[in-house]
Amino acid sequence: MRGIVLSLLGALMLVLCGPVSPAPAAVAFEGVTSTHAVGMPSANAPWRTLVQGGMETETAFNTWAASAQLAGPIPAGETIELTWVAGRRTPTSCEPITTFVERTSEASHDNTVSIMRMNFPTEEGETPGATPTCLEVSITSRGMLTDRLVGPVRADDAAAAVIGVEASATEHRLDHPKVTDPWRTLESASLRGDVVTGTVQLSATLGGPVPEGQWVSVTWALGRRHPHGCETLVAFSWPNLPQDSSHTMSVERDYDNDDIASEFTCIQASLYTLDTNTTGDIVDGPASPLMADVTVDAAPAAEEFVVAAGRSTPVIVTASSRVGARKGLTVAGRGKDVRAAKTSTGAVEARRERPVVVRVAAERPGRSQLRLTARDVRFDVARSTTRWPVKVRRVEAQRPRPGRYESADGTVGFKVTRDFVVRALRVADVRCEGAATLPTARLPRGVRLPSNGAAARVVRSGDPGLGRGFLGAQLLTTSPTRVVGTLTVATRNCTGSARFAAVRQG
């Protein structure tokens, strides 16, 4: 039998209950430093010294990202050990809260080593609860500590929002349980759900095993506390869930409804048995909001927008979200004599850039600035606005002549077919974060050029070297034999972009 979801959260109930605001919580921490500790570095070789180190965290999902930039490339055959410590400042040291260690013999093209750890437990198996205030980044090579950077860690709760709820119930309601059979009673119940994963996790522990042939159903009800109990706003019911050896029933289900991010204050769980047609037991307990840093961002794929005057030009914009956006973000922008149309990105993975085609309209040639805004409509604070330069050129609306096109250095090449489709676009030596070498990116699909010669397209990556993600290309024809553009890579193994100008060969 399918589970029943009873959504009772309505405007009337919200008015009656009134808002309940959680206590302010810092959900993100960030530290970046280039300050050497006293007596450091202790080696002269560039690859054994540090230029910069950093760490950022997001506590609701216990995600930690760290990086360290070396002064030079790691020689062949050598290995380094990097250590990141986030801790509490004491009069004599940075007392560790969390420590990460990474051994490696490779770094990216700019000599940076980056790591990301998710749901990383402490030695005690629990998520760190203390607030870090200091950062130390160390490098060890050939068994010797050769450099250490020290600096502060700062909290950031500017984009903190309620993303879900967690609750547990252990207190029996007055006059409960009403039965004596252990399997008709509840010992405890819990619930956790959030809009980031789009799931709800439910569990209930009974006083004993359910006899074979008997039918029971558990209801988990979230609500707001009032003088006479817990007023139900959202409820979940599932019948006859299997029990484990401790008589616990558990289930995880998709729940694609934003009401799970409301500010509940209590939970009430009840156990119903079919043979007696009664609710034999009810347990009650507190509910707490889950907080997270929901910062979002949007930026041009290149350092500036290059568009044609007097018309709309498609460009590539990269959008990102710290917690991810399953339903996507919206991107739009305005500036003097320039405007970016409101566009939906599609699903955005947490901390992964998502390229999207945005049309930018400009009135006249010259330079301007575009205030580009990204927004996650689920959260009031999930909005960012950044000014980006715009170069508006007077470009005749035209298509390029069919043929083979290459850049002056040969790193970019593509073909324009007779029906004006750009095919086999490749860009060598893409400078991207996350790659030890400079890869060659190839757009797996063609881009059709309209009569004005400007087009953009985003496609999924099928390149095993680049990894899963997206590739985007924007093209602008500036003469019958010249095309300028940008290729954007946003994949698991590479995040970066390359601007180019290509001319017809022959």
Side-chain angles (χ1 to χ4, degrees):
M1 183 174 180
R2 295 180 61 187
I4 304 168
V5 181
L6 308 174
S7 181
L8 305 177
L9 185 58
L12 178 60
M13 287 189 174
L14 287 173
V15 171
L16 290 175
C17 296
V20 178
S21 299
V27 297
F29 306 97
E30 182 176 12
V32 178
T33 181
S34 56
T35 302
H36 295 272
V38 176
M40 294 291 168
S42 61
N44 295 323
W47 66 276
R48 305 179 76 186
T49 63
L50 295 168
V51 175
Q52 182 174 277
M55 175 184 283
E56 61 177 315
T57 74
E58 194 281 296
T59 59
F61 290 91
N62 198 16
T63 302
W64 302 72
S67 65
Q69 185 178 20
L70 313 181
I74 304 173
E78 295 286 357
T79 299
I80 63 170
E81 182 175 281
L82 293 165
T83 303
W84 293 266
V85 173
R88 297 281 293 177
R89 175 62 63 195
T90 68
T92 58
S93 66
C94 182
E95 182 179 343
I97 295 174
T98 296
T99 302
F100 297 106
V101 178
E102 179 78 2
R103 289 179 59 84
T104 183
S105 58
E106 291 186 342
S108 67
H109 62 86
D110 62 350
N111 307 316
T112 298
V113 177
S114 301
I115 65 170
M116 179 179 289
R117 306 284 168 82
M118 299 188 71
N119 298 326
F120 191 87
T122 63
E123 292 183 0
E124 292 78 20
E126 297 179 354
T127 301
T131 301
T133 60
C134 58
L135 170 68
E136 291 186 351
V137 185
S138 305
I139 180 172
T140 302
S141 60
R142 299 177 181 174
M144 173 184 172
L145 174 66
T146 57
D147 204 358
R148 174 177 290 150
L149 303 179
V150 295
V153 174
R154 296 180 177 86
D156 176 16
D157 60 356
V162 177
I163 63 163
V165 62
E166 58 183 351
S168 62
T170 56
E171 296 293 327
H172 289 272
R173 189 173 174 178
L174 186 64
D175 298 331
H176 286 77
K178 293 182 174 295
V179 291
T180 56
D181 296 330
W183 65 276
R184 300 180 191 268
T185 66
L186 285 168
E187 292 187 354
S188 64
S190 66
L191 181 152
R192 188 187 194 280
D194 65 84
V195 297
V196 174
T197 63
T199 61
V200 61
Q201 302 162 14
L202 308 162
S203 71
T205 300
L206 277 58
V210 178
E212 186 175 352
Q214 294 293 343
W215 190 98
V216 299
S217 176
V218 179
T219 297
W220 296 259
L222 291 166
R224 303 273 176 84
R225 181 72 67 192
H226 62 79
H228 303 291
C230 182
E231 181 179 6
T232 298
L233 301 178
V234 176
F236 304 86
S237 292
W238 264 275
N240 276 3
L241 291 170
Q243 290 180 283
D244 62 17
S245 58
S246 63
H247 320 311
T248 298
M249 299 175 167
S250 301
V251 64
E252 178 176 329
R253 292 290 187 268
D254 293 339
Y255 187 63
D256 193 17
N257 196 319
D258 292 348
D259 62 11
I260 199 68
S262 301
E263 293 166 5
F264 304 104
T265 61
C266 58
I267 184 175
Q268 184 174 277
S270 57
L271 179 64
Y272 171 83
T273 53
L274 182 63
D275 63 335
T276 59
N277 193 28
T278 59
T279 296
D281 201 3
I282 299 175
V283 289
D284 189 282
S288 302
L290 285 173
M291 306 290 291
D293 177 6
V294 296
T295 298
V296 297
D297 194 19
E303 286 138 7
E304 66 176 358
F305 292 107
V306 179
V307 299
R311 54 189 166 109
S312 174
T313 304
V315 299
I316 301 293
V317 169
T318 57
S320 62
S321 166
R322 287 202 173 186
V323 297
R326 293 176 297 110
K327 297 179 181 180
L329 306 176
T330 57
V331 177
R334 286 187 177 276
K336 184 179 180 181
D337 300 329
V338 63
R339 182 176 63 85
K342 185 177 179 180
T343 306
S344 178
T345 64
V348 178
E349 290 190 40
R351 297 176 181 265
R352 298 287 181 185
E353 291 187 355
R354 172 66 151 91
V356 61
V357 177
V358 176
R359 301 195 73 87
V360 176
E363 295 181 11
R364 55 182 63 89
R367 289 194 170 272
S368 183
Q369 286 191 328
L370 182 68
R371 297 188 303 274
L372 192 64
T373 298
R375 186 184 180 199
D376 187 335
V377 297
R378 298 174 300 175
F379 312 111
D380 291 338
V381 296
R383 175 191 290 268
S384 70
T385 301
T386 308
R387 293 177 181 269
W388 295 98
V390 181
K391 183 179 181 180
V392 185
R393 304 177 57 179
R394 189 180 299 281
V395 179
E396 181 182 346
Q398 59 190 321
R399 285 171 168 153
R401 290 168 53 190
R404 184 70 194 171
Y405 287 71
E406 286 189 2
S407 61
D409 59 4
T411 58
V412 177
F414 57 85
K415 179 182 179 181
V416 178
T417 66
R418 293 184 180 277
D419 55 351
F420 303 105
V421 177
V422 173
R423 296 194 182 279
L425 173 60
R426 60 159 180 85
V427 178
D429 298 341
V430 177
R431 300 185 70 84
C432 59
E433 298 178 8
T437 59
L438 303 181
T440 296
R442 293 177 173 83
L443 196 70
R445 303 287 182 86
V447 182
R448 184 173 296 279
L449 294 170
S451 59
N452 64 13
R457 186 175 186 182
V458 173
V459 299
R460 292 190 178 275
S461 168
D463 188 326
L466 295 175
R468 185 170 62 88
F470 297 91
L471 298 174
Q474 64 184 60
L475 304 164
L476 177 63
T477 306
T478 58
S479 79
T481 59
R482 186 173 185 269
V483 177
V484 299
T486 302
L487 182 73
T488 300
V489 182
T491 64
R492 289 286 182 181
N493 302 336
C494 177
T495 301
S497 62
R499 297 176 63 179
F500 60 83
V503 297
R504 189 175 184 274
Q505 304 299 300

